[in-house]
Amino acid sequence: MCDHVDAVGAALAKREADLLILDLNGFDHLNQLSGLGALIRGRAGAPILVLCAYEHSAWLPELMAYGSFDYRICPVLNDELQQAVGQALTVPADPAAAMQQELLDKEKELRDLLGVQRSLQRALAGIDSINTMASQICLALCNFPGVRHTSVLHMKERGDLRLVAQEARNHLDLGRLLERRDHLLQSPLRDVFPALMAVSRGEMVLLDAPEKAGDPELAMALHDRNVRMVLALPLRAEPGGPEMGAICLMFDRHISFTREQFACFASLAQFVSFGIGMSELKHRNDALAGQLSQMSTVDAVTGAGNRRAGEDALDNEIRRARRYGLPLAVLSFDVGSFQSSNDLYGAPVGEAALRKIAETVHGRLRTSDTLARMRGEEFLIVATHTTSSDALRLADKLRGAIAEADLPLAGHGAAVSIALSVAQVGAEEGSDAVLDRLDTALHRAKRAGRNGIELAA
């Protein structure tokens, strides 16, 4: 029995040990065990049994970089410890055959890992939807031998950890087990369930027996679903970066992972992290593109379409009307005496009045119609499936609605009037021609007096 690493090294120098047992319990940080790697390397393959606390199971793959060893997750029962010691001291009857079997096991292990990796790469192709991609990830991870349940947890905004996908071969519902599907870090199991610990601690967590979590109800629920081991790995876009969630695998048997298996699982978690990161980036880019598109087609003052949006809508509707033989009408209206009102009462009051007029008009239009601000106080309406007579009735309704609207200028004693023009698009007429006719009619309506309506010739 030795209390520290240096004492172990001195003892081994004096006499040879058939089995070295390293108990890591009582240490909070791996750097407190300086010299442990050299000790493992110095054994040169001789039997080593490492006892590691459940909450520090992430130390195991780091220590395996120095050499191979067997391990057990603590707390360890006496029977389990005796069995582990017996296995470590057992000398194979045929060392050559044992070596051959070990090589065959390694080959099968690599085939299994490569198969899961290929399935996962195919799953990561669907970055359009994180939920769909996560479901495919869970399916891919279930291809690993012994896996009975897989899940993907994703960190949303403000620390909201959610269960976005799961695949169960044992009828286990993780949302029910954790008593929630979102805000999982508020689950009563946040300090004992491996996936939640992996997110909060930012490191791998291995639970090699459900009862070692210290929660009898959790252990019973997992045993009832034939879960004998749980492995959880955090997801992060880059080393040391913020946690994006976790992947969780539940096994129906106990497996002593090798260094290669731990490394492969870490690589799979990195693949998943990249996939989720790319999906998040795509959604952010799509949202920004939508905002840019809106900024390029929406008038900032009134919220109506801008001139570009109006001209595009007219071109598109002319093509549609011509293809299907449908009537199409366009209306134009101009808010009169607006510049003088701006000079008297200020641009903010004038802009508020213009915005109210646009809202009033838009409220009288159908969803298929388009309202656009073409210039200054002049607006265009593209009215689909509409004849000239229908458009004249619509113009009259709009004139009355604006007259009755509670405009900001009314509080200053200013009266607002509009002039309107109406045109039906001809069968072979282009947008430039119809806009010219509409503009000519609008000038006639302005000359005719307040609130006039003119039908374009």
Side-chain angles (χ1 to χ4, degrees):
M1 297 289 291
C2 300
D3 294 332
H4 53 83
V5 174
D6 293 338
V8 174
L12 290 175
K14 294 179 180 179
R15 61 176 180 175
E16 185 178 347
D18 294 329
L19 173 65
L20 175 63
I21 300 178
L22 300 175
D23 187 355
L24 307 186
N25 287 280
F27 295 93
D28 294 325
H29 303 284
L30 187 59
N31 56 18
Q32 294 176 340
L33 299 170
S34 59
L36 198 61
L39 199 60
I40 295 173
R41 186 186 293 114
R43 291 288 288 171
I48 302 175
L49 176 62
V50 175
L51 306 179
C52 184
Y54 166 43
E55 60 270 20
H56 296 313
S57 50
W59 294 357
L60 295 174
E62 295 191 39
L63 292 175
M64 285 181 178
Y66 298 98
S68 61
F69 55 80
D70 193 11
Y71 63 87
R72 291 295 183 274
I73 302 297
C74 296
V76 181
L77 301 177
N78 287 335
D79 291 345
E80 183 184 3
L81 183 58
Q82 291 175 3
Q83 182 184 20
V85 171
Q87 290 175 350
L89 293 175
T90 299
V91 178
D94 187 346
M99 180 66 71
Q100 181 67 26
Q101 185 60 48
E102 184 178 348
L103 291 175
L104 291 174
D105 292 341
K106 285 281 188 183
E107 183 180 348
K108 181 180 183 302
E109 169 191 310
L110 290 175
R111 284 200 306 269
D112 292 335
L113 292 172
L114 287 174
V116 174
Q117 188 177 58
R118 285 193 293 267
S119 299
L120 194 60
Q121 287 173 339
R122 289 192 295 269
L124 296 179
I127 64 172
D128 288 342
S129 168
I130 286 183
N131 289 8
T132 302
M133 182 176 64
S135 296
Q136 294 300 313
I137 289 170
C138 290
L139 281 171
L141 293 176
C142 274
N143 290 328
F144 191 85
V147 174
R148 306 298 294 167
H149 186 283
T150 57
S151 56
V152 175
L153 314 183
H154 181 219
M155 185 73 77
K156 301 287 186 177
E157 64 281 352
R158 300 190 183 94
D160 179 11
L161 182 67
R162 297 182 183 179
L163 172 63
V164 292
Q166 62 179 324
E167 177 67 20
R169 307 289 169 86
N170 56 358
H171 306 291
L172 185 147
D173 183 355
L174 187 58
R176 181 175 297 178
L177 179 69
L178 299 178
E179 301 182 15
R180 58 184 63 233
R181 295 180 183 276
D182 54 8
H183 298 287
L184 292 177
L185 293 180
Q186 299 176 20
S187 167
L189 299 177
R190 63 185 176 275
D191 295 325
V192 294
F193 188 70
L196 304 186
M197 294 174 63
V199 175
S200 60
R201 299 174 66 89
E203 59 187 18
M204 182 205 81
V205 177
L206 174 63
L207 177 64
D208 68 345
E211 56 272 17
K212 293 183 180 182
D215 188 300
E217 292 185 5
L218 172 63
M220 186 178 301
L222 292 178
H223 274 292
D224 286 346
R225 297 301 180 186
N226 196 29
V227 175
R228 299 294 179 262
M229 189 172 76
V230 183
L231 173 67
L233 300 106
L235 302 176
R236 53 170 67 89
E238 57 186 1
E243 279 66 42
M244 303 165 57
I247 54 175
C248 183
L249 300 90
M250 300 188 189
F251 299 79
D252 63 4
R253 66 197 74 166
H254 180 271
I255 302 173
S256 291
F257 291 127
T258 63
R259 178 190 177 189
E260 291 79 11
Q261 286 174 317
F262 276 128
C264 185
F265 282 123
S267 177
L268 294 179
Q270 195 66 53
F271 280 151
V272 174
S273 299
F274 287 153
I276 291 178
M278 290 296 292
S279 182
E280 290 180 336
L281 182 61
K282 182 179 185 301
H283 287 134
R284 285 197 292 268
N285 286 342
D286 289 346
L288 288 173
Q291 293 174 9
L292 289 173
S293 176
Q294 184 180 24
M295 290 171 62
S296 65
T297 58
V298 175
D299 177 61
V301 174
T302 64
N306 59 17
R307 184 184 186 93
R308 173 185 171 186
E311 291 176 346
D312 288 346
L314 180 57
D315 286 335
N316 292 335
E317 293 303 332
I318 286 177
R319 285 194 295 269
R320 186 177 292 110
R322 191 173 297 160
R323 184 182 307 120
Y324 298 107
L326 299 172
L328 176 66
V330 287
L331 300 84
S332 181
F333 69 89
D334 182 89
V335 182
S337 305
F338 205 81
Q339 186 59 48
S340 58
S341 299
N342 276 347
D343 294 340
L344 287 172
Y345 309 115
V349 174
E351 290 179 353
L354 207 58
R355 186 161 49 249
K356 180 64 176 179
I357 291 172
E359 291 173 357
T360 300
V361 172
H362 192 269
R364 301 304 192 278
L365 301 179
R366 301 164 300 179
T367 55
S368 61
D369 298 336
T370 300
L371 172 66
R373 184 184 183 189
M374 301 299 283
R375 64 178 74 84
E377 295 79 50
E378 186 178 322
F379 291 80
L380 176 74
I381 299 171
V382 181
T384 62
H385 300 197
T386 303
T387 64
S388 57
S389 56
D390 294 332
L392 284 170
R393 285 192 290 271
L394 173 61
D396 189 53
K397 289 180 181 179
L398 295 179
R399 178 174 58 182
I402 293 173
E404 296 173 0
D406 184 16
L407 302 179
L409 289 174
H412 297 275
V416 173
S417 63
I418 64 171
L420 300 102
S421 62
V422 174
Q424 183 170 344
V425 180
E428 301 297 328
E429 192 173 23
S431 59
D432 290 339
V434 72
L435 288 176
D436 286 342
R437 287 199 295 120
L438 200 63
D439 191 55
T440 301
L442 185 62
H443 283 294
R444 290 203 307 270
K446 289 180 182 179
R447 291 195 298 270
R450 296 164 61 90
N451 295 322
I453 299 175
E454 284 288 332
L455 178 62

